[in-house]
Amino acid sequence: MCVNLQQWWRDAVVYQIYPRSFADGDGDGIGDLAGVRARLPHLRDLGVDAVWFTPWYRSPLADGGYDVADYRAIDPAFGTLAEAEALISEARDLGIRTIVDVVPNHVSDEHPWFREALAAGPGSPERERFWFREGRGPGGDLPPTDWVSSFQGGTWTRVPDGQWYLHLFSAHQPDLNWNHPDVRREHEDVLRFWFDRGVAGIRVDSATMPVKDPAFGEVPADGSGPHPFIDRDGVHGIYEAWRRVADSYDEPRVLVGEVWLADPERMARYLRPTEMHTAFNFDFMSRPWEAAALRAAVQGTLDAHAPVGAPATWVLSNHDVTRPATRYGRADSSFDFAAKRFGVPHDPALGLRRARAAALLTAALPGSLYLYQGDELGLPEVEDLPEGARQDPMFFRSGGVDPGRDGCRVPLPWTAEGSSAGFGPDGGAPPWLPQPQGWGALSVAAQQDDPDSTLSLYRRVLALRRAEPGLRGEDFAWLGSADEDTLAFLRGDLACVVNLGPKPVPLPAHREVLVTSGPLEGTDLPTDTAAWLRV
C-alpha cells in the first residue's frame, strides 16, 4: 500500500485480534492461534496490512493476558511458540505483518521475579525490581499513598511480612520499578526475542505509566504540576532505548504507543523521531457523533502530529471500549471509562448507520487505520451477559456498577449456523463468553455475499483506500465551513463527505460516487451517512 516499504506503517490498515475471542481451532471454547491461522484468508480478503495481537503470552489471564508471566512463551490456551512463528510467517506470505503487545508497566503476580520478591522478604535485591514500601500510620496499616487504580479501588496490596506493593491496575499486576537495570535490560531483550522471529512491531500498553515519582506524592487535586505516575519526563528514555533496538534491524521495526493524554503537545513528545513511530488517537474515539466535536478532534490530531512528522492513527474501538455500533446509538455517543453503566438505552439501527459512516470517515483521513475484530461485521456491544459469565476485573472492582469490557470481547460469529456460530467446531466446548441469540445472522458467512452488508462495505472501502493515490501521503484540506453539520474534506481528487445533521444535504459537485455508507436520496446525502466522491 505504501510507496516506501520501509515506512509501511504510515498509512497501514491494522486489524486488532483479541486471541481468546477470534477463532477456536481446537474446540475448547477459547480462541487460539490455530483458529487465527485458519482464518487468515478472511484478513487477506478484508484487505489489511498488519494484525496486532493483544497479549498471547503465558498468563493466568487475570486481566485478559495483560498480566504477563512469561514473555517468551505462548499461553497453552492459545498454542505454542512454534505455532506463533508459523502464524507470523504465514501471515507475511499473505502480505500481512504482525504486531505484538508489550506491557512495560507491570507483570503478573505469577511472574518468577515477583515470586522471588515475595520469598526474599523486605530489603532484598529481588524486591527492588518492584515498588515495595512500608505502610503509613500505626503499625503501617495504611497504604503508602491514596492513589486510585485504573480499575477503581486502591493501588496497594499488603503482603504477610507487612510491606505493601504497588499495582496501578489489579493486585494480580504488580508494577515494575523502571529505575532498576534488570527491568530495562529484560524488556529490550524481549523486544529482540520477538523481532528476531519476524514480528514487525510492538504495541506499547499503558505507555505513559511506567515511571513513578520516587517520593510517592499524591495526585495534585487541582491537576497542576507533574503527575506522580502518568507522563513523567523520565519515561521518554525508555522509548528512546527501544527505538534504538527497533532501528537496528534491516527492516526497522515499529513502536506503537497506547498514549492516553488530554494534552496534544505532551502526547506528541512520544512521537519524536527518537521515540515511537505512532500512538493511538483516543481523543477522536472518545468524541460524540457531532460534527464540531469530530472536526476539532481531527484538526487537533493533525496539528499535534505535524511538528514531529509522525502520522496520525484513527481508531473507532478496541478491546477496552464499547463498540461503535452501540455507542453511536446512544443519546450521549461519547466514550468515558468512568461513565460506563448498565442499562443505557441505545438505538441499534441508528448506531449501525453511524458506525458505517464513521468507517468511511476514518478510512479517508491521512495516517494509519486500526480496526478492532468484529467491527467489520457491525457487531454490537453484548450488554446482557449473565453476571456469572463476566470476567473483567473492572466489573468486579467496581462492585458490579461498571459493566466492564466483556461486552466487546464476545467470541466472533463466522457461520450462520452451528453451536458457536463457527467460532469453534460444532460439538466443541461452549465459547468462554456466551454469544447472544441470533449471533450467526451477523457472521462472516451471512454477510460475505450480501453487497449491502457491513462486511462488504469494509471490503470495498479498504480496497479503494489501497488503490486511490489521493489517500496516500499527508495531503488534507477541509471543504465547507466549520459551523456546518457536515464534515467534508479533500484528499487529492477524492472528497469524503459525512452528514451528521438532522436533514439530507446536497452532495457537492462531483464526477463519480465511489462508495457510500448507505443509500443516497437522489442526489442528496441522508443524515448519518458518508460518501466518497471523485471531484
Side-chain angles (χ1 to χ4, degrees):
M1 179 169 159
C2 306
V3 175
N4 183 353
L5 294 180
Q6 292 281 57
Q7 295 192 344
W8 61 271
W9 42 271
R10 294 191 69 91
D11 56 4
V13 177
V14 184
Y15 185 96
Q16 180 191 352
I17 291 180
Y18 189 74
R20 295 175 84 189
S21 300
F22 186 73
D24 171 17
D26 61 11
D28 65 355
I30 298 173
D32 48 39
L33 302 189
V36 177
R37 293 171 69 187
R39 299 296 184 180
L40 284 175
H42 170 70
L43 303 176
R44 175 201 61 205
D45 296 344
L46 187 59
V48 304
D49 301 293
V51 287
W52 154 39
F53 287 89
T54 57
W56 56 13
Y57 317 108
R58 185 183 297 277
S59 167
L61 297 176
D63 180 26
Y66 284 90
D67 47 321
V68 178
D70 184 353
Y71 273 110
R72 296 173 179 82
I74 299 296
D75 194 272
F78 301 145
T80 65
L81 180 59
E83 284 183 286
E85 293 171 338
L87 171 54
I88 294 166
S89 176
E90 290 164 4
R92 189 59 185 259
D93 289 344
L94 296 177
I96 300 171
R97 292 173 168 86
T98 298
I99 296 171
V100 298
D101 233 308
V102 172
V103 190
N105 183 69
H106 51 262
V107 292
S108 167
D109 59 353
E110 294 187 14
H111 191 284
W113 279 5
F114 192 70
R115 290 181 169 180
E116 292 166 5
L118 291 179
S124 63
E126 290 82 357
R127 288 204 173 181
E128 292 177 2
R129 294 168 173 155
F130 300 91
W131 293 107
F132 280 87
R133 291 292 183 272
E134 302 298 330
R136 297 174 297 170
D141 293 338
L142 297 176
T145 71
D146 293 325
W147 296 351
V148 176
S149 168
S150 297
F151 288 168
Q152 302 189 40
T155 58
W156 296 89
T157 291
R158 201 172 194 183
V159 299
D161 57 46
Q163 284 199 314
W164 299 73
Y165 69 88
L166 175 67
H167 51 85
L168 293 181
F169 293 88
S170 80
H172 298 289
Q173 296 162 287
D175 279 40
L176 290 164
N177 176 6
W178 274 88
N179 296 326
H180 199 294
D182 287 356
V183 174
R184 293 178 179 259
R185 183 167 49 247
E186 166 67 5
H187 281 76
E188 291 173 25
D189 287 348
V190 165
L191 299 190
R192 294 187 184 94
F193 180 88
W194 286 106
F195 291 161
D196 290 346
R197 281 156 180 78
V199 162
I202 63 164
R203 178 262 191 186
V204 186
D205 181 71
S206 301
T208 64
M209 301 174 76
V211 173
K212 315 297 190 288
D213 175 9
F216 284 92
E218 294 296 342
V219 177
D222 60 359
S224 63
H227 195 284
F229 60 82
I230 292 178
D231 188 36
R232 296 189 64 80
D233 289 341
V235 77
H236 296 284
I238 297 172
Y239 305 127
E240 288 171 349
W242 289 16
R243 179 62 176 260
R244 289 191 290 270
V245 174
D247 286 348
S248 69
Y249 286 78
D250 291 338
E251 180 183 302
R253 292 350 189 207
V254 178
L255 308 181
V256 184
E258 183 192 27
V259 183
W260 285 87
L261 291 175
D263 183 342
E265 189 275 332
R266 295 291 301 188
M267 180 190 137
R269 296 185 185 192
Y270 291 78
L271 300 174
R272 290 175 288 198
T274 58
E275 296 188 43
M276 296 187 191
H277 299 80
T278 64
F280 286 107
N281 177 16
F282 294 114
D283 178 46
F284 179 88
M285 182 178 66
S286 302
R287 297 286 183 125
W289 186 251
E290 298 170 2
L294 293 176
R295 183 184 180 112
V298 169
Q299 190 62 58
T301 297
L302 297 177
D303 289 346
H305 285 68
V308 290
T313 62
W314 308 101
V315 56
L316 294 176
S317 71
N318 60 33
H319 63 292
D320 292 331
V321 174
T322 305
R323 286 192 181 273
T326 295
R327 189 172 78 240
Y328 285 144
R330 292 173 171 166
D332 180 359
S333 55
S334 63
F335 178 79
D336 183 350
F337 276 112
K340 287 191 302 174
R341 293 294 183 268
F342 283 99
V344 180
H346 77 282
D347 180 336
L350 175 65
L352 180 59
R353 188 165 69 247
R354 289 174 169 178
R356 288 167 60 98
L360 268 67
L361 169 60
T362 52
L365 291 167
S368 57
L369 176 66
Y370 280 75
L371 169 62
Y372 178 51
Q373 64 179 40
D375 281 355
E376 79 273 23
L377 304 177
L379 295 184
E381 188 85 356
V382 180
E383 300 189 288
D384 57 353
L385 288 167
E387 184 170 328
R390 295 183 182 275
Q391 300 192 22
D392 186 13
M394 295 186 81
F395 169 75
F396 295 105
R397 287 176 65 90
S398 71
V401 173
D402 184 337
R405 301 163 295 177
D406 292 318
C408 63
R409 301 176 178 182
V410 172
L412 296 190
W414 292 92
T415 59
E417 306 294 337
S419 57
S420 64
F423 170 68
D426 274 354
W432 69 280
L433 282 174
Q435 299 165 310
Q437 193 75 23
W439 205 229
L442 300 173
S443 66
V444 174
Q447 295 195 40
Q448 62 184 0
D449 295 325
D450 177 1
D452 297 323
S453 71
T454 301
L455 175 58
S456 294
L457 176 67
Y458 264 96
R459 287 176 173 173
R460 286 197 301 275
V461 166
L462 297 188
L464 281 169
R465 192 179 194 273
R466 184 183 295 268
E468 285 293 323
L471 295 180
R472 302 182 190 132
E474 307 302 320
D475 289 347
F476 176 89
W478 290 109
L479 300 172
S481 63
D483 59 354
E484 296 177 347
D485 286 331
T486 300
L487 289 179
F489 54 87
L490 194 64
R491 305 284 314 282
D493 67 346
L494 187 149
C496 176
V497 185
V498 189
N499 180 10
L500 296 92
K503 299 178 180 178
V505 296
L507 288 172
H510 59 278
R511 291 190 290 118
E512 181 184 6
V513 177
L514 298 177
V515 64
T516 63
S517 64
L520 298 177
E521 295 181 5
T523 59
D524 287 349
L525 185 67
T527 184
D528 298 322
T529 306
W532 287 6
L533 310 172
R534 182 91 61 205
V535 297

